[in-house]
Amino acid sequence: MNQMKKRHVVLGVMFVALIVGAIVPLVRADTTKSPPDRELLSVDALREMMKHEDPYQRHSAICKVMLNSRDKEYLQQLAPATVAMINDPEPFIRALAAEALGEFTDFPDIVVPKLIEALDDPFPRVREAACISLAYFDEMAKEAVPKLLVFLESDERAIWKDAVYTLGWIGSASEPAVERISELSSDSDPELRREAVAALGRIGTGDGKVVAALVRCLSDENVEVKYEARMALPCLGEAGFSALLKGWRGDVSDVIAAAEEAPISNSDVVAGIARVGLRSRNITVRYWALQYAHFYLDNMILLFPDYVEIVKKGDPVFRGQAAYYLTSDLDDTKYPLNQLLQLADDQDSFVRYCIGECIAAWGEEGLSMIREAIGDKRETVRSTAAESLTFITPHDNAVVSLLIGLLNDESPIVRKSAANSLGRIGKPAEKARDALEKLKNDKDKNVRESVERTLRKFGPVERSDESS
C-alpha cells in the first residue's frame, strides 16, 4: 500500500513538472514582447490620433505620450498638440491632458499658461490635475498663485490639499498664501496638515505666527506632521531654528537632521542657524553647528566673531576644530588682522598653525604683521609667526632667513615651530641646513625630533662633481 502511495506521489510530481515546463516558455515568450501601449509611434501618427473623432483614440494618444515622456525631443514636437488637448470636449480627456502636461517641464512658456487656464475648468478632476502638474514647474508657475489662493478660500475642500502642495513647490512667490496655509496646519485632516506644514517650509517665509504654528505641530498626534514640522522650521531662518531647539522634545540628532536637510541658500540665514547652535548648552548641537557652517556657509566672515570667542574661551574639543574651519575659506575671505593677532597667543600648537595660515593669506600685509610678531615678548605669538611663514609664498630668501633667525630663539616652542615650517617648505629652504645641523643636539627633545624630520625631508647633501 505504501509503495502505491509513493508511486502516485512521484507521478503527481512528474505531471506538475510537465505542466510547468510547458507553461513557462509561453510566459517568457510573452514577456519579451513590448506592450502595445509602449510602442513609440511617430509624432505625426500621434498628432492624428489626438484629432481622431473617437475619444478613446485621443485618450490612448495621450497615454502613449506619457509612457514615452523621457524622450525630450519627442515631447518638444508633441507639446503644442498635447496643450491643445486641454480644450477637448470630453472632460476625462482634458483631465488626462492636464496630468500629461506635468511631464513638459522643459517648455513652461507654452504649458504653464494653459494649465493656469485649466484651473477654471468646470470639471473638478481637470482642476485637480492641472493644479498638481503646476507643482512640477516650481517657481515658473508663480502666476498661478492668485488662483490657487482662491481655491484655499473656497468651500471646495477636495482641492485644498493639491493647492497647498503646489503653492509649496512654487516657493517664496507663494508668500501671499502663507497666512491661510498656516491656518490649515491645524485642520482636522492629517494629510492636509502634513501638506500645509511642508509647504510652509518650502515657501520659507513667515512671521511669528507661522513659527508658532509649526512649533505646535511638533507635538501633533500624526508622526508625519511632526516630521514635516521638524523639517520646516529651519527653513524659516534663525527664528525658526531657535524655536525648533526650544520646542523639540525628541532626540537632538533629529534637530541636526532637520537643519541639514533644510534647503537654505541665504548666507545670513545659514549663519543665524549656526550661531544659535554654537550658543546651545548641548555639546552635540555645538559640535554640529561647527560642521553645519563649514559645509553650508559660503562666507565664513559672518561667523568670525563667534569663532573668535570659541577659540578664546571654548571647550578644548572645539577650539582646534573652529580654528581649522577658519582656514577653509581663505581664497575668498580675509579675517581682521588685529583679531587674528589676538588668537596668535594660544597654547595649542594646532590652533597657532591654523591662525598662522589665516594671517599669511593677507600676503604682504600679513608678512608685515609676522615681522612684528617675531619681536613679540610672548613665545606663543612668536611661534605663530613661525607657523605663518610656511604659507607665505613664494618661499624666497627673505622668508627662509626669518625662519633661520627663529631657530636661535630662546624658546624651544619657537625653535620647534621654525624647524617644522622649514620642513614644510622643503628644498627651497636648503640654505637652513647648517643652522638645523647645529640644533641636532638641542636641549629640548621636541626640537631635536623636529630638526631630524626636517633634515630627512631635505635629503642627503648634494655635492657637485669636481672637474678633473
Side-chain angles (χ1 to χ4, degrees), residues 37-94:
D37 283 342
R38 289 189 179 274
E39 293 176 3
L40 190 63
L41 296 182
S42 68
V43 172
D44 291 337
L46 278 174
R47 285 173 179 161
E48 289 302 315
M49 286 182 68
M50 290 179 182
K51 299 175 183 177
H52 203 282
E53 60 180 14
D54 183 354
Y56 292 100
Q57 286 289 327
R58 302 197 297 275
H59 184 279
S60 178
I62 299 174
C63 289
K64 290 179 185 295
V65 172
M66 296 173 71
L67 288 169
N68 296 287
S69 60
R70 293 183 180 179
D71 189 332
K72 298 303 178 185
E73 184 177 349
Y74 193 64
L75 290 182
Q76 183 177 13
Q77 297 179 65
L78 288 167
T82 309
V83 166
M85 299 300 287
I86 285 285
N87 298 321
D88 195 276
E90 294 292 340
F92 75 96
I93 292 178
R94 296 200 302 275

Side-chain angles (χ1 to χ4, degrees), residues 310-330:
I310 292 172
V311 175
K312 281 184 176 179
K313 308 174 183 177
D315 189 301
V317 176
F318 300 115
R319 293 169 66 253
Q321 196 79 11
Y324 171 69
Y325 283 161
L326 284 175
T327 66
S328 65
D329 198 28
L330 292 179

Side-chain angles (χ1 to χ4, degrees), residues 314-350:
D315 189 301
V317 176
F318 300 115
R319 293 169 66 253
Q321 196 79 11
Y324 171 69
Y325 283 161
L326 284 175
T327 66
S328 65
D329 198 28
L330 292 179
D331 289 339
D332 303 310
T333 304
K334 301 292 183 290
Y335 304 111
L337 277 172
N338 59 333
Q339 293 189 51
L340 287 173
L341 186 59
Q342 295 174 23
L343 301 179
D345 184 23
D346 198 277
Q347 298 301 314
D348 189 308
S349 60
F350 181 70

